[in-house]
Amino acid sequence: MPEVTNSYETVFILSTKLGEDGIASLVQKFKDLIAANGTVDGVDEWGKRRLAYLINKEAEGYYVLIDFTSVPAFTAELDRIYKITDGVLRSLIIKKEPEKAKKE
C-alpha cells in the first residue's frame, strides 16, 4: 500500500544574530532535511523583517517559507528539530488543503 503524502507549508523565523553565513547554513539544513523526507516544492526567503514584538530580546528576524510534500509523521519530527535548533525563534507547519477541481 503506498504511503499517503500531504502538502504542507512551513514558516520559520531565524535570529539575525547568526549572521549571513549562519542563516544560510540553517536554511540549507532545513531544505536538505525536508528533501530527504519528502519533496521541496518551493522556497521563498522573505529576508530580514521587523518583528511585531520582541522575541528573546530581538526586534528583527529572518523569515523563510518552504512548501513541501511528505508523509504526515515527518511534520512532528520537523517541529521537534525546530524546537531544539539554536537560532530558530519561531516556527509553524500548516497542512495545505487539496485544491478541489473547478466546476464548470
Side-chain angles (χ1 to χ4, degrees):
M1 181 174 186
E3 290 197 53
V4 176
T5 59
N6 295 319
S7 293
Y8 297 95
E9 64 182 15
T10 181
V11 176
F12 52 92
I13 306 171
L14 301 176
S15 171
T16 55
K17 291 180 181 178
L18 296 170
E20 289 182 19
D21 293 336
I23 289 172
S25 67
L26 267 184
V27 170
Q28 189 61 45
K29 171 189 170 181
F30 290 127
K31 284 195 284 190
D32 293 343
L33 178 67
I34 292 169
N37 292 285
T39 58
V40 176
D41 300 328
V43 178
D44 189 12
E45 294 189 32
W46 297 346
K48 191 188 304 186
R49 301 280 174 101
R50 184 159 180 77
L51 301 173
Y53 54 90
L54 294 180
I55 302 174
N56 299 338
K57 299 181 181 177
E58 294 189 42
E60 290 185 329
Y62 191 88
Y63 286 70
V64 180
L65 169 76
I66 300 177
D67 292 316
F68 67 99
T69 306
S70 74
V71 295
F74 171 64
T75 58
E77 177 65 11
L78 181 61
D79 192 43
R80 185 188 73 80
I81 292 170
Y82 281 149
K83 289 179 182 175
I84 63 173
T85 302
D86 291 334
V88 177
L89 299 177
R90 291 284 188 271
S91 64
L92 179 68
I93 303 170
I94 298 173
K95 178 182 174 188
K96 293 167 39 175
E97 293 296 321
E99 294 181 23
K100 297 182 177 158
K102 293 181 180 179
K103 295 180 182 178
E104 294 183 20

